[in-house]
Amino acid sequence: MSGGGRPVIRVVLVDDQALMRAGFRALLEAEDGIEVVGEAADGEQGVALVSEHVPDIALVDVQMPVMSGIEATRRIAADPRLSSVRVVILTNYGLDEYVFDALRAGASGFLLKDTEPEDLLAGIEVVARGDALLSPAVTRRLIGEFVSRPPDRATPPGLECLTRREREVTALAARGLTNEEIAAHMVVSPFTAKTHVSRAMTKLGARDRAQLVVFAYESGLVAARTR
């Protein structure tokens, strides 16, 4: 526990640049309530460290030797023992070609390496709470850039298990709306909107809101806009 009584957020850093890892470690450990429990220089080491420590969050670079961040994310997300671990992809560019592939692999979102320190820390706390790391603005940009590409797998099952309301909130969440915006659109309370989103995630086995975005487009619930 941290000094204020909150649970400590445990983080594993996975990046092949030692200087980058040192910078992230210094920033994170200067914050009360965050502990860096391990560092890895490639994806393979990262998966091993995450398996060993089972942190709350794994900050994973995309491009690394031995094993890429996307493959590392895929292996972490596929391990039932690591279901509580949230993978956050680190990227040099806001919407490079790897981001949507990383979300498909099971990442909970992404952060820019040159993000402001306060935004990085806020992102860590958001993911640790289990909320959506992707802000509405980032989600809209992500959709605009990537969803016009065809999915790389068959349509995932599960759409038929959603109620009409749950399909509606899933589609709205995929368009980047917050719970408050969804509530206003559906003329319900924010609590009701959040409940519908949570039930949809549970039925679909989505780890977080980012996975709802992927599901909505790959299932055809929301049509991709051509550029």
Side-chain angles (χ1 to χ4, degrees):
M1 302 287 284
S2 67
R6 295 179 304 164
V8 171
I9 300 172
R10 302 169 69 252
V11 178
V12 162
L13 298 173
V14 187
D15 195 302
D16 61 327
Q17 298 181 29
L19 188 59
M20 188 66 68
R21 294 198 310 273
F24 277 122
R25 176 183 280 274
L27 174 63
L28 295 176
E29 293 198 329
E31 184 74 5
D32 182 43
I34 299 179
E35 177 187 3
V36 177
V37 297
E39 294 182 23
D42 62 61
E44 188 172 75
Q45 293 177 7
V47 173
L49 269 181
V50 169
S51 298
E52 176 184 353
H53 294 286
V54 193
D56 300 296
I57 293 174
L59 291 179
V60 180
D61 186 25
V62 171
Q63 294 178 292
M64 293 181 292
V66 183
M67 181 189 294
S68 72
I70 292 175
E71 179 59 28
T73 298
R74 186 175 291 112
R75 295 194 185 191
I76 291 169
D79 190 336
R81 298 179 301 107
L82 306 178
S83 61
S84 64
V85 179
R86 296 292 176 263
V87 177
V88 177
I89 293 294
L90 298 171
T91 177
N92 286 314
Y93 307 101
L95 292 171
D96 64 33
E97 62 183 290
Y98 304 102
V99 170
F100 199 71
D101 289 338
L103 291 176
R104 281 187 173 132
S108 295
F110 69 96
L111 287 169
L112 298 179
K113 287 187 176 183
D114 62 354
T115 191
E116 294 296 324
E118 59 268 25
D119 292 334
L120 172 66
L121 296 172
I124 295 292
E125 292 186 358
V126 164
V127 170
R129 289 198 307 266
D131 293 335
L133 175 61
L134 298 179
S135 68
V138 170
T139 302
R140 292 182 186 116
R141 289 174 57 209
L142 177 69
I143 291 168
E145 290 289 335
F146 291 105
V147 300
S148 59
R149 300 187 305 170
D152 58 3
R153 62 176 184 236
T155 300
L159 188 60
E160 68 282 353
C161 75
L162 299 181
T163 67
R164 180 181 62 81
R165 282 297 215 185
E166 289 163 354
R167 292 188 187 197
E168 185 178 0
V169 298
T170 298
L172 293 172
R175 293 190 177 102
L177 273 65
T178 65
N179 287 340
E180 289 72 20
E181 291 170 334
I182 291 173
H185 182 89
M186 298 176 64
V187 194
V188 298
S189 71
F191 176 80
T192 298
K194 182 178 181 180
T195 299
H196 284 312
V197 171
S198 297
R199 286 176 179 169
M201 288 173 56
T202 298
K203 288 183 179 181
L204 298 173
R207 291 162 67 100
D208 50 41
R209 202 181 188 101
Q211 301 308 304
L212 277 187
V213 175
V214 174
F215 173 86
Y217 281 92
E218 293 197 329
S219 67
L221 181 61
V222 175
R225 295 171 297 182
T226 56
R227 300 171 64 186

